[in-house]
Amino acid sequence: MDNQDLLRCGAAQIAHRPFAGDALLNAHLDMIASAAQKGVGFLVFPECSLTGYPADLQQAAAMALPADDAQILQLAEASSEMVSVIGFVERGADDSLYNAMAWVFRGAVMAVHRKINLPTYGRLVEGEIFAPGTGTTRIHLPNGWQCGGLICADFWDPGLAYLSALARDAVLAVPFASTEEAVGDGFSNADGWMQILRNHALVYGMPVVASNWTGAFDDMRFWGGSAIVDSKGNIAACGGREPDLILADIALADTEAARRRLPTIRDLSPAILRAEIQGLMEHDYGDP
């Protein structure tokens, strides 16, 4: 098995400490240094990892950074030959706020994905804070693997996961910010995340690197549980409730074998999907 076939992945599970000076920046630098020592080639931080996850519009506006902010470029420089995925509240050129993630490598920002699906239910108010992204995003890692990225609720949208599979992403970065209490009414975010991570990885033969926060958020608590899931839907590594660097190796040969064994991607039917969506759009079925 050559080096291009094997990718050491990391999920950087850090403690949520917004407005704490350089604490979050330093936590990133420490995780990047530790991951580099362990031979990690691809490292994913939580949703809004560099700024903190905002509770309201006022917090988001105070946290917001442009995509070329000096802190992001500092992390890009520190990442060196490792691709890191950094979450942040982005202030766009039009002054809109976005929930964004940046792939950084060799001192530069490779690409930015803006969250599309903004949850506004339970105790979640992202639709009142952020402008939505307009499409999915992917890059090529140094070893040639195509890497997609979906932020938190993007991953819960079956259509967006379908698009990642249709594009044949070889690995998917999923930064998220999940508290046990966010949805309410007895819903377990921890159980739900484990189910959907395994489901998407299994159905599409698409390994996932998912990173969550630990620590307090208002009167709620991030539960950790960052995970790396292989192309068979198995949890290759999983974090607890404390800060940690979660590591696992994934092999392209295993992904190719999984997609031959369960050829869901091969058999996707985008033409049928497109025709039926068009048909639904031409009829007035009312609000869902």
Side-chain angles (χ1 to χ4, degrees):
M1 186 176 294
D2 63 35
N3 290 335
Q4 290 191 330
D5 187 73
L6 192 68
L7 180 66
R8 176 155 293 177
C9 299
Q13 184 169 284
I14 59 176
H16 191 252
R17 291 189 289 177
F19 302 114
D22 293 331
L24 286 176
L25 175 62
N26 289 334
H28 281 69
L29 292 170
D30 289 345
M31 281 288 189
I32 287 170
S34 180
Q37 289 178 351
K38 294 175 171 61
V40 172
F42 180 54
L43 181 65
V44 179
F45 284 87
E47 180 178 9
C48 297
S49 61
L50 184 57
T51 56
Y53 182 80
D56 53 40
L57 178 59
Q58 183 177 2
Q59 280 193 6
M63 294 171 170
L65 306 171
D68 61 353
D69 186 81
Q71 292 183 80
I72 295 174
L73 295 179
Q74 182 179 354
L75 296 178
E77 188 69 33
S79 294
S80 186
E81 300 301 307
M82 176 172 59
V83 174
S84 298
V85 173
I86 311 298
F88 64 110
V89 176
E90 180 194 3
R91 186 178 297 280
D94 61 355
D95 216 35
S96 293
L97 301 180
Y98 299 93
N99 186 333
M101 58 182 275
W103 288 264
V104 301
F105 174 64
R106 289 183 178 174
V109 175
M110 302 173 74
V112 173
H113 171 70
R114 292 169 170 172
K115 189 174 182 178
I116 299 165
N117 190 350
L118 301 173
T120 309
Y121 49 79
R123 300 183 64 178
L124 304 170
V125 294
E126 289 192 31
E128 301 170 7
I129 298 174
F130 299 114
T134 57
T136 60
T137 312
R138 49 200 41 86
I139 58 115
H140 282 89
L141 299 173
N143 64 359
W145 292 24
Q146 183 170 284
C147 173
L150 296 174
I151 301 172
C152 201
D154 285 350
F155 191 67
W156 287 72
D157 184 327
L160 297 180
Y162 179 98
L163 287 172
S164 292
L166 192 65
R168 286 172 168 74
D169 290 335
V171 63
L172 194 63
V174 181
F176 68 112
S178 177
T179 68
E180 192 64 70
E181 306 89 348
V183 177
D185 197 28
F187 180 83
S188 172
N189 266 342
D191 290 347
W193 268 102
M194 287 303 106
Q195 290 184 45
I196 199 168
L197 284 167
R198 296 191 66 182
N199 176 78
H200 286 356
L202 171 65
V203 169
Y204 294 123
M206 186 165 57
V208 180
V209 183
S211 185
N212 190 24
W213 294 97
T214 69
F217 176 62
D218 283 353
D219 60 339
M220 299 180 282
R221 184 170 181 83
F222 293 111
W223 53 273
S226 301
I228 300 171
V229 188
D230 69 18
S231 54
K232 298 177 184 177
N234 299 318
I235 304 293
C238 188
R241 290 183 173 268
E242 300 302 322
D244 198 3
L245 176 61
I246 294 91
L247 303 174
D249 293 336
I250 58 174
L252 187 59
D254 292 341
T255 297
E256 292 171 344
R259 291 178 179 181
R260 287 194 300 270
R261 182 172 54 250
L262 191 67
T264 309
I265 292 180
R266 184 200 68 187
D267 297 340
L268 293 176
S269 304
I272 294 174
L273 187 67
R274 181 170 58 247
E276 296 214 11
I277 288 175
Q278 185 62 41
L280 289 171
M281 292 175 66
E282 291 172 357
H283 293 81
D284 182 11
Y285 288 98
D287 293 331

